[in-house]
Amino acid sequence: MQLFVEKDSIVREIWGKGDTVLFIFAGASGEFALNKAVDWLYFTGKLPADPLGRLFSTVRYARLIVFASMDEANASIDSLRKIHGAVEQNRGFSIPDWAYRDVLFMLIHYSIAAYELLERKLSDEEKEEVYNVFYRVGTRMGLKELPPTYLEWLPVRESHLVADLQQSKYTSDLFRQYRKHLGPIRFKILIDAQKLVIPQHVKKLLHFNSFSLLSIAIPVYKISRVLKMDGLLKNALLPSEYKTQIKELDLHQQ
């Protein structure tokens, strides 16, 4: 059986660890709040109503692709495109292609940034491997103008950050929703996590300084993983109603 991502791929290692996945979506939640196309998720109402549920839903979709056979992964990608197509039909116009690329670009950037924060620096070959997996996802979705390699993607990613991000009423509202659903302490942890993985341009637009208390806590957390206490920390960082989803974050380490 042909796999969409080979078993020894660094991408499986990245997406098989719950703490890495949490940092991926911490960073993406900050950047996406600035995206000029964020109004699409307000059209459905799903993101502001349940931002954490939306996070776990996205995690499930990403993992269906990363840990699936080629046929199963392609079916999941096709399903994802159909879901967005239905939203486009209901609204009466299409989600711009650059907006799809932005989401894909976030998954690439934060996969690398989160893993390097918590584990080690990736080699150029491993970064290319990460890029290639999401390039194939984007190609299957029919996205245009995707650079063929990681190195060619880097300047395109920078140009997207400049062109497609802005502070808006949705930015402020999403961060209010994050705070409402997480509570003040967990919200502070979210902001500190975002500071460690978001690009400098995103940090500037969000008016974040560079200091994060988590930069002190990360070494302690790494020790906790060795002592098998990281599950306690994950439960402390997310609300109790998400206990099942928190446990599932580490189910795919293989």
Side-chain angles (χ1 to χ4, degrees):
M1 179 180 65
Q2 186 179 7
L3 299 173
F4 191 78
V5 178
E6 294 301 321
K7 284 192 174 182
D8 61 351
S9 170
I10 187 63
V11 180
R12 281 190 170 225
E13 185 175 343
I14 292 169
W15 282 84
K17 294 185 176 182
D19 47 8
T20 309
V21 172
L22 287 175
F23 269 92
I24 290 171
F25 283 95
S29 68
E31 182 176 328
F32 196 70
L34 294 166
N35 196 280
K36 291 178 181 178
V38 74
D39 58 300
W40 277 95
L41 285 179
Y42 273 78
F43 175 74
T44 65
K46 290 181 178 179
L47 182 61
D50 185 12
L52 296 182
R54 181 77 187 185
L55 181 156
F56 285 113
S57 174
T58 308
V59 167
R60 282 193 292 273
Y61 252 104
R63 283 182 156 165
L64 277 174
I65 296 167
V66 170
F67 293 95
S69 69
M70 186 68 73
D71 290 342
E72 291 168 337
N74 285 335
S76 294
I77 297 167
D78 294 345
S79 173
L80 197 60
R81 187 73 202 210
K82 286 179 182 177
I83 290 169
H84 286 91
V87 175
E88 291 172 330
Q89 187 172 9
N90 288 336
R91 194 172 184 183
F93 57 96
S94 297
I95 299 172
D97 203 64
W98 58 261
Y100 282 111
R101 287 197 301 272
D102 283 343
V103 174
L104 195 74
F105 289 2
M106 281 191 283
L107 292 174
I108 297 163
H109 169 83
Y110 293 109
S111 292
I112 293 170
Y115 186 83
E116 290 195 331
L117 174 71
L118 295 174
E119 302 291 339
R120 60 172 175 82
K121 292 294 181 183
L122 293 173
S123 67
D124 291 343
E125 290 77 13
E126 287 171 326
K127 290 176 182 179
E128 186 66 50
E129 193 174 333
V130 172
Y131 180 76
N132 179 259
V133 167
F134 290 105
Y135 173 82
R136 289 188 288 120
V137 171
T139 301
R140 180 76 185 189
M141 289 189 73
L143 304 189
K144 310 299 182 186
E145 300 178 22
L146 294 176
T149 69
Y150 174 76
L151 287 178
E152 291 174 277
W153 168 75
L154 288 172
V156 177
R157 160 71 170 163
E158 288 301 317
S159 65
H160 269 247
L161 289 175
V162 173
D164 301 344
L165 303 185
Q166 66 179 13
Q167 271 274 0
S168 70
K169 63 180 181 180
Y170 299 111
T171 310
S172 302
D173 186 67
L174 270 180
F175 274 86
R176 281 195 296 271
Q177 297 303 324
Y178 297 154
R179 183 182 177 92
K180 174 183 174 182
H181 286 82
L182 287 170
I185 295 175
R186 292 187 178 109
F187 177 72
K188 170 61 177 169
I189 294 171
L190 172 68
I191 300 300
D192 279 358
Q194 289 173 349
K195 288 179 181 180
L196 294 177
V197 290
I198 59 176
Q200 192 60 39
H201 183 66
V202 176
K203 198 178 295 184
K204 180 180 178 181
L205 288 175
L206 291 173
H207 306 296
F208 286 174
N209 60 40
S210 294
F211 176 73
S212 170
L213 283 172
L214 288 185
S215 62
I216 303 170
I218 292 296
V220 178
Y221 184 72
K222 289 181 178 179
I223 295 172
S224 78
R225 290 191 302 186
V226 175
L227 299 175
K228 307 297 184 183
M229 294 175 61
D230 53 312
L232 296 174
L233 291 174
K234 288 192 189 80
N235 280 288
L237 296 178
L238 289 166
S240 58
E241 58 264 34
Y242 293 96
K243 279 185 178 178
T244 301
Q245 291 95 325
I246 293 167
K247 288 180 181 178
E248 288 176 352
L249 288 175
D250 284 312
L251 286 182
H252 292 287
Q253 291 196 38
Q254 48 182 289

